């Protein structure tokens, strides 16, 4: 049973959804699944507002990428735990049976429609920025539209990669999507502050050509390559510069081009 004082019941709200499972990955990261409103339609890669009732009795909501694919009957989220964060200091204590608020209005730029057709698709993420790609890596359209998919995820430590690495490990044998995934998905997880088999920042590994050498492929070019980016503001700014250096241009839902970007979170003072 959960602590009723910590997670107030929100059954009276129309947008309440029930938590079905919670997994704690590190002291800073957890994932959870909730029931899906029957009416909710979204495109894999989009985000919604979720939250709890705040101390003032009003909804306390934050943007969250939906980490599950559009076909999943539940919704999955992958979350940071900010010690003093208004929402996550409390959200990290949710347990199965608890309820959260979920506003069923999905939006976002990390969607297939925002990219022109291409041959290779690059998912570039740091930290919890892997969440929209956890959705897109399980989306059939990803494998129908592209010949090769590269998932580059960078964290400070190995433990922070675990959610993504377990998800990828399970994909090939997934009864629904496994056959489509086949050998198309290439997962390149790196750390920057702890030794691991693959090391270094995504920006450095792209700029140096290390990643292209690793897979024995040609460097990025605007004809073949499409990219989706999700990380801290600093990461997004630096990756954009690298992608533009390869000749890729930023697109949007209304103006598809070669790459799209979304913030994984809004940093302090930004
Ligand atoms: P806040 O007051 O919101 O944040 C406090 C500080 O914590 C921030 O200033 C920042 O420095 C840091 N911080 C916040 N979020 C993160 C993070 N994810 N990683 C590292 N540091 C962080 N968060 C998720 O955990 N998972 C998601 O899928 C996710 N998707 C998002 C999608 C969008 C489009 C945006 C704009 C944000 C997203 N966020 C996501 C961030 C999320 O909205 C909240 O900021 C986060 O849940 C913390 O809420 P809080 O109220 O506890 O603290
Ligand atoms: P580094 O350890 O070299 O700073 P954070 O936890 O600070 O959000 O960082 C998550 C991961 O993203 C870390 O591995 C970090 O590497 C990397 N990172 C942070 N800022 C950038 C950036 N501007 N360009 C590339 N990688 C970055």
């Amino acid at each position: 049973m959960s602590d009723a004082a910590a997670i107030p019941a929100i059954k009276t709200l129309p947008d309440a959804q029930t938590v079905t499972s919670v997994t704690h990955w590190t002291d800073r990261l957890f994932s959870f699944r909730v029931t899906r409103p029957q009416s909710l339609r979204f495109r894999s890669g989009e985000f919604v507002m979720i939250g709890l009732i705040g101390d003032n009795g009003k909804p306390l909501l934050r943007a969250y990428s939906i980490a599950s694919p559009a076909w999943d009957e539940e919704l999955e989220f992958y979350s940071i735990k900010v010690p003093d964060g208004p929402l996550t200091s409390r959200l990290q204590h949710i347990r199965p049976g608890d309820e959260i608020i979920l506003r069923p209005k999905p939006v976002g730029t990390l969607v297939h429609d925002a990219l022109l057709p291409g041959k290779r698709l690059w998912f570039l993420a740091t930290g919890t920025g892997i969440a929209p790609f956890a959705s897109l890596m399980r989306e059939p359209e990803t494998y129908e539209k592209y010949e090769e998919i590269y998932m580059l995820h960078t964290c400070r430590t190995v433990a922070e990669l675990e959610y993504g690495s377990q998800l990828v490990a399970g994909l090939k044998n997934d009864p629904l999507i496994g056959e489509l995934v086949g050998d198309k998905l290439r997962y390149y997880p790196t750390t920057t502050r702890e030794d691991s088999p693959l090391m270094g920042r995504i920006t450095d590994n792209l700029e140096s050509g290390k990643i292209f050498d690793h897979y024995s492929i040609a460097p990025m070019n605007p004809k073949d390559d499409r990219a989706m980016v999700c990380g801290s503001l600093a990461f997004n700014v630096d990756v954009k510069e690298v992608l533009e250096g390869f000749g890729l241009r930023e697109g949007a839902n209304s103006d598809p081009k070669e790459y799209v970007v979304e913030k994984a979170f809004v940093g302090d003072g930004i």
Side-chain angles (χ1 to χ4, degrees):
M1 287 291 286
S2 57
D3 181 352
I7 314 291
I10 50 178
K11 281 203 167 79
T12 48
L13 288 172
D15 293 334
Q17 296 301 322
T18 305
V19 176
T20 58
S21 64
V22 182
T23 305
H24 290 272
W25 299 94
T26 71
D27 58 353
R28 288 184 67 242
L29 294 165
F30 70 114
S31 61
F32 57 97
R33 292 175 68 87
V34 303
T35 52
R36 176 173 175 171
Q38 278 203 334
S39 60
L40 177 65
R41 298 278 173 274
F42 68 96
R43 293 178 293 175
S44 293
E46 288 186 312
F47 69 88
V48 287
M49 302 299 291
I50 65 169
L52 297 168
I53 292 293
D55 291 336
N56 60 3
K58 292 186 180 157
L60 172 59
L61 302 174
R62 293 284 185 268
Y64 268 82
S65 295
I66 301 174
S68 46
W71 53 261
D72 198 329
E73 61 188 27
E74 290 187 338
L75 299 174
E76 183 173 308
F77 297 97
Y78 180 52
S79 180
I80 191 82
K81 305 175 194 176
V82 182
D84 301 320
L87 179 64
T88 57
S89 60
R90 295 172 55 221
L91 190 68
Q92 62 181 283
H93 299 297
I94 53 168
R95 297 199 191 164
D98 289 336
E99 289 184 318
I100 65 157
I101 305 166
L102 189 149
R103 295 271 191 258
K105 293 194 174 58
V107 287
T109 54
L110 302 181
V111 291
H112 282 301
D113 298 344
L115 293 176
L116 295 170
K119 184 175 153 219
R120 309 188 297 194
L121 178 60
W122 297 80
F123 294 145
L124 310 177
T126 59
T128 60
I130 195 172
F133 306 130
S135 173
L136 284 157
M137 279 194 285
R138 292 182 269 188
E139 168 58 57
E141 196 180 348
T142 300
Y143 304 95
E144 287 157 6
K145 282 197 160 164
Y146 294 90
E147 291 173 24
E148 296 158 23
I149 297 97
Y150 295 86
M151 175 72 248
L152 276 51
H153 186 208
T154 298
C155 294
R156 295 182 181 198
T157 66
V158 173
E160 292 170 337
L161 292 168
E162 193 60 21
Y163 169 76
S165 90
Q166 284 198 19
L167 191 147
V168 171
L171 272 182
K172 274 195 186 174
N173 298 321
D174 187 299
L176 284 169
I177 184 113
E179 220 169 289
L180 270 177
V181 176
D183 293 326
K184 285 188 165 187
L185 181 65
R186 287 137 193 221
Y187 175 52
Y188 195 85
T190 65
T191 53
T192 50
R193 304 201 190 186
E194 184 185 1
D195 280 346
S196 70
L198 302 169
M199 302 277 304
R201 287 181 159 203
I202 287 171
T203 39
D204 295 338
N205 291 337
L206 286 172
E207 268 190 318
S208 68
K210 185 173 162 184
I211 186 85
F212 311 123
D213 293 344
H214 181 87
Y215 290 110
S216 303
I217 55 171
M220 273 192 193
N221 66 80
K223 183 174 149 282
D224 297 324
D225 292 285
R226 303 293 173 259
M228 295 191 185
V229 177
C230 191
S232 63
L233 182 68
F235 171 72
N236 289 0
V237 167
D238 290 348
V239 169
K240 277 171 75 158
E241 205 178 307
V242 174
L243 295 177
E244 302 267 344
F246 286 116
L248 278 62
R249 300 162 304 160
E250 184 169 4
N253 273 286
S254 55
D255 185 19
K257 286 202 176 97
E258 290 89 24
Y259 77 89
V260 279
V261 178
E262 200 144 79
K263 282 197 274 292
F265 61 92
V266 182
D268 292 305
I270 297 165

